[in-house]
Every structure is written in C-alpha cells, then in structure tokens.
Amino acid sequence: DSWRQHRKHVFVLSEAGKPIYSRYGSEEALSSTMGVMMALVSFVQSGDNIIRSVYSEEHTVVFLHKEPLVLVCVSSSRQSERQLRGELLYVYYQIISMLTRASISRIFQHKKNYDLRRLLAGSEKILDGLLNLVDSDPSFLLAAVHCLPLASSLRDSVSQILQKAITPNLVFSILIARNQLLTIVQEKTVIEDARLEPADVHLLLNLIGASSAFQAGEIWTPICLPLFNPDCYFYAYISYLDPPECTVCLLLLSTDKEAFYAVAECKRKIEEAMVAQNSLSLIAKVQPYSVSQVGVSDLRHFMYKPFDVPDNHRQLTQFTSPEMEAPYCSEEEKMRLLDLYRYMHSRIHSTSRPLKLIYHVAERETLLAWVTSKFELYSCFSPLVTKACAISAITKLLRWIKKEEDRLFIRYPPKYSTTPN
C-alpha cells in the first residue's frame, strides 16, 4: 500500500496485464492492482470505447493506451487530465528511447505475455529520474528546453568548435552544462526533413542525469529519439569534458554504429579547441540569473517561452526562467509555486474554454499568465500587486527579455554538413 501515500503514482503494464514498471512499491506486489486496471481497459474496449480517466473525490486516474503498452497515473494533485496524460506520454517515450517502438511491437506480436522487465532491467532508475524531473522541472510543462544563459560571443565560439569537428553520419552535436542546453549543432540535410523536438532533448538530459556511469569516461550507447524516429536507433557518444566536476557534457549522435573511433576523434578535437580558447573555465563561471536583475519591483519569478523566433518551424522550442529565490527556497515552496503555474497553464490551455490572460490572486502571491501569438508567459508577484501594476511590470519585463534575448536563447542554431558535396 506504500504507493497510496504518494501524491502521484505511475504504473506501466502490457496488454496481457503483465507488470512492467511501478514508480513506488514492487511490480510483483502490485500485479493484482495492475490486473484490475487491465480488466477495466479491456471491459471498456469491448464496447468499442476507450477508457481515458476515472475521477473520485480525492484522486484522478488517467489511462494512456499505446499498443502494446498501457500506462496509468493515479494522482491526488490538482493537475489537469491533459497534463497527467502528457507525463504518461513522457514515460512511454523514455521506454521507446531504450528499446524502439518497432522492437517492442515485434516482441509482443511474437509473445503476448512477454515480461518486458527482462529488457528494461537496470533502467528503472532512468524512469524514476524522469518522473522526479517531471515533478520539479517546468520544461516538461512548457514543452520547451531551458537554455543556459550565456554571452552570445561565448556560445558562438563554442558552437563554431562543434561545427568544425565533424565526421560522416554525425547528425547532432549537443553541449550540456549543469543540465541545461548550452548549444546544439545539427546536420543540414537532416533538419530539412525533421526537427529535433524538446521532448527528445528532455529524454537525453534525463538519461545523462539519471546515471553516474557516464562520469566514468567515454560511453557509446544506442538511443532512440521517439519524436524524431520511434523505430530506429542513433548511436550516442557521451563524455564529460570537465572531470571530476562533471558539469559540462558532450553528446554526439551518429547514425553509424561502427563510428565510435571517428566520433571519439571529434570529441578530442572539441576538447583541444575548448582548452585552447579557455572555454571550459568561462562556462564554469556562468551563474543562473536572478529575478532582481530584471529591475521590476514585486516580481518574484517568471517563465517565458517565445514563439517569434527566427526560422520558427525548424527551431527547438526554448524558454527562460530565473532561479527560484525567497520565499521559494524550500522544496515544499518550490513545488507549491510550480503547482500554481500548472493550474494557470491548465486554465490557459483548457480544451473547453481556453483563456488568453489570467490574473489570479492566491493566498500568498499574485500570478499573471498571458499567451499571445509571440509568447507564453507565467509570472509571479508579491500578494498585494494589482492587475494594472502587474501588467505594467510585465511590459518592463518583456523589454528586458528583448534586450537580453541573445544571452537567454539560442537564436540561430548552427548547422554543419557531413556529406561531401
């Protein structure tokens, strides 16, 4: 019964009712519960319907059926059904990223009651890590990637280093610092066909963050990017550039599984150039920015996601946000503010009655959410701020973001060509 004490729980099972993953407690102990859930799904299906959710006084149960898997979330939080389903989708994508959709389908076509835990053994930590991130990181709510705030000259010089270190079949070169995106360089021909989605970047960040094994040296591992192509593997070369601190991580993705040595040579060139330019020590000095730098009184925190970016349809969706400061220092207070943002987000994106602007007076703060064709913004103020003051403050905030945009976002993602002309 330990899972009942948590505010949110996730189960994954096969269509045959076999347990695959449980966030809390053991899958074995919960197999009878999972059996009941599968019976519910099958019963509703037999009437040509799909069970999407069940509501009780204190809990919402949300189902996501992605053949041959069934994912279930039991939540006592105030999150909307749509938000909870989005979180289940992330769990599904993380499983696909490890095994591919094609291989899971093939396995279950061959044997309906196969125990998928055999193939996922050892990866529970990655799924646990993902669900912890989903609870604490607004990137998932906003479906956007958080970029490390960085002087554009430094970001450009690091991007140029990545641009020059290429080999055939290299598709993406990604540099991550303190779990935020520093830069990403993409193969020209690949992004003409498809773009890298934020969800795929989130899965990569989670994979790196969830395992300390990557800090040991060079790792070469197959990984699927489910939104890019759910049925194929890329081969990821993962290496930290600043051991033992391990805050700057290089990720090189190739389509050639035999390319380890060629890709490792690219990493050597990148490391050499970054040492020569003193890039790593400059990156180490970068600090998250404070809301006080905006210069708007009574503004406590905000999250801003732009839409009016150059070449928008090919761009990775990004957002910016200052670090959380007093009174949001404890984990409990951070979670409370995130819950308020989630509530505002569900109202803005309501399927029945979407809103453009919400001014919300909560018990200990005032919030304002605003969505236009150019941006989506969630802001938090001290409790006595009026609507007029909040709107005037947001005008100043937008001016500040515009002035700082080259530091806060990757405006023009660099490209390279690894195919001979």
Side-chain angles (χ1 to χ4, degrees):
D1 277 354
S2 70
W3 65 273
R4 295 173 197 273
Q5 294 153 22
H6 296 276
R7 74 178 214 149
K8 199 156 44 177
H9 182 63
V10 169
F11 303 95
V12 183
L13 53 151
S14 70
E15 287 176 323
K18 281 257 184 188
I20 293 169
Y21 169 77
S22 169
R23 186 178 185 186
Y24 302 109
S26 78
E27 296 91 15
E28 289 303 336
L30 293 167
S31 56
S32 59
T33 309
M34 295 201 193
V36 171
M37 288 178 171
M38 199 55 234
L40 258 175
V41 171
S42 305
F43 176 73
V44 174
Q45 246 178 352
S46 65
D48 283 340
N49 268 316
I50 297 169
I51 187 164
R52 293 175 65 82
S53 53
V54 176
Y55 287 88
S56 75
E57 204 171 308
E58 291 180 359
H59 290 87
T60 304
V61 184
V62 175
F63 293 81
L64 177 69
H65 191 179
K66 299 290 259 181
E67 292 181 9
L69 306 182
V70 175
L71 299 94
V72 186
C73 176
V74 182
S75 169
S76 60
S77 71
R78 288 174 65 194
Q79 282 178 267
S80 68
E81 182 184 326
R82 186 178 172 183
Q83 287 171 352
L84 294 170
R85 186 167 285 105
E87 293 180 5
L88 285 178
L89 202 51
Y90 265 107
V91 175
Y92 171 72
Y93 287 149
Q94 191 80 69
I95 293 169
I96 295 296
S97 77
M98 295 184 266
L99 301 175
T100 77
R101 186 179 63 182
S103 116
I104 293 173
S105 299
R106 202 163 46 243
I107 288 163
F108 283 101
Q109 274 165 10
H110 179 66
K111 192 179 179 188
K112 289 233 181 306
N113 65 343
Y114 183 82
D115 188 348
L116 199 64
R117 285 176 301 175
R118 288 186 214 167
L119 294 180
L120 288 170
S123 58
E124 299 86 357
K125 200 174 163 189
I126 292 170
L127 291 168
D128 290 348
L130 175 76
L131 287 167
N132 289 338
L133 268 183
V134 161
D135 275 347
S136 60
D137 184 346
S139 309
F140 295 86
L141 177 70
L142 295 173
V145 173
H146 198 175
C147 288
L148 185 76
L150 198 65
S152 57
S153 55
L154 178 54
R155 202 187 307 271
D156 291 347
S157 71
V158 171
S159 301
Q160 281 163 18
I161 292 171
L162 266 59
Q163 259 177 315
K164 287 173 187 163
I166 56 172
T167 186
N169 304 310
L170 189 64
V171 183
F172 297 109
S173 301
I174 302 169
L175 200 60
I176 292 152
R178 294 197 282 280
N179 299 320
Q180 292 178 9
L181 185 66
L182 197 153
T183 188
I184 177 166
V185 189
Q186 312 176 52
E187 218 292 336
K188 271 180 194 160
T189 52
V190 171
I191 56 165
E192 279 166 16
D193 300 328
R195 73 172 189 174
L196 192 58
E197 294 291 338
D200 285 337
V201 177
H202 294 154
L203 297 176
L204 289 169
L205 286 168
N206 177 54
L207 174 73
I208 292 163
S211 175
S212 55
F214 297 119
Q215 298 179 10
E218 303 168 299
I219 301 279
W220 182 248
T221 183
I223 183 158
C224 167
L225 300 180
L227 282 106
F228 195 87
N229 184 340
D231 299 319
C232 295
Y233 280 123
F234 283 100
Y235 296 87
Y237 174 94
I238 302 167
S239 177
Y240 280 93
L241 301 180
D242 62 338
E245 286 81 8
C246 292
T247 57
V248 181
C249 185
L250 177 68
L251 188 62
L252 301 172
L253 294 180
S254 170
T255 52
D256 178 5
K257 74 172 176 186
E258 306 299 332
F260 172 77
Y261 292 106
V263 175
E265 178 58 21
C266 291
K267 180 255 180 175
R268 192 192 61 74
K269 288 179 187 167
I270 289 165
E271 198 166 32
E272 217 171 66
M274 286 182 78
V275 168
Q277 293 184 17
N278 201 27
S279 308
L280 287 170
S281 59
L282 292 171
I283 292 164
K285 288 176 188 156
V286 173
Q287 295 296 321
Y289 65 95
S290 158
V291 73
S292 61
Q293 288 171 246
V294 180
V296 174
S297 59
D298 294 318
L299 179 65
R300 288 182 175 180
H301 191 262
F302 67 88
M303 304 190 301
Y304 175 87
K305 173 176 156 180
F307 299 132
D308 60 335
V309 289
D311 206 11
N312 185 28
H313 63 291
R314 297 231 177 98
Q315 267 266 37
L316 189 63
T317 311
Q318 301 163 48
F319 84 101
T320 189
S321 179
E323 63 180 335
M324 285 194 187
E325 297 167 89
Y328 309 107
C329 296
S330 69
E331 288 310 308
E332 201 180 328
E333 281 298 298
K334 284 177 185 174
M335 184 62 83
R336 195 177 64 76
L337 178 59
L338 267 178
D339 280 344
L340 284 165
Y341 280 150
R342 286 188 184 107
Y343 168 70
M344 302 289 275
H345 182 275
S346 69
R347 295 280 311 276
I348 286 274
H349 294 281
S350 161
T351 43
S352 55
R353 191 166 165 249
L355 300 168
K356 295 279 185 198
L357 182 77
I358 307 172
Y359 171 73
H360 175 71
V361 180
E363 199 180 333
R364 289 180 250 171
E365 51 275 293
T366 297
L367 293 103
L368 195 138
W370 189 14
V371 63
T372 72
S373 59
K374 294 190 172 180
F375 62 81
E376 188 170 333
L377 172 70
Y378 299 88
S379 54
C380 171
F381 296 90
S382 48
L384 301 176
V385 168
T386 63
K387 188 176 179 181
C389 287
I391 289 172
S392 148
I394 279 177
T395 309
K396 288 180 194 163
L397 169 63
L398 293 173
R399 274 204 296 269
W400 182 85
I401 291 170
K402 187 72 188 161
K403 189 168 77 92
E404 298 286 331
E405 63 185 4
D406 287 338
R407 184 171 70 93
L408 302 176
F409 304 107
I410 299 169
R411 298 277 293 158
Y412 299 93
K415 304 170 185 68
Y416 49 54
S417 179
T418 59
T419 47
N421 293 330

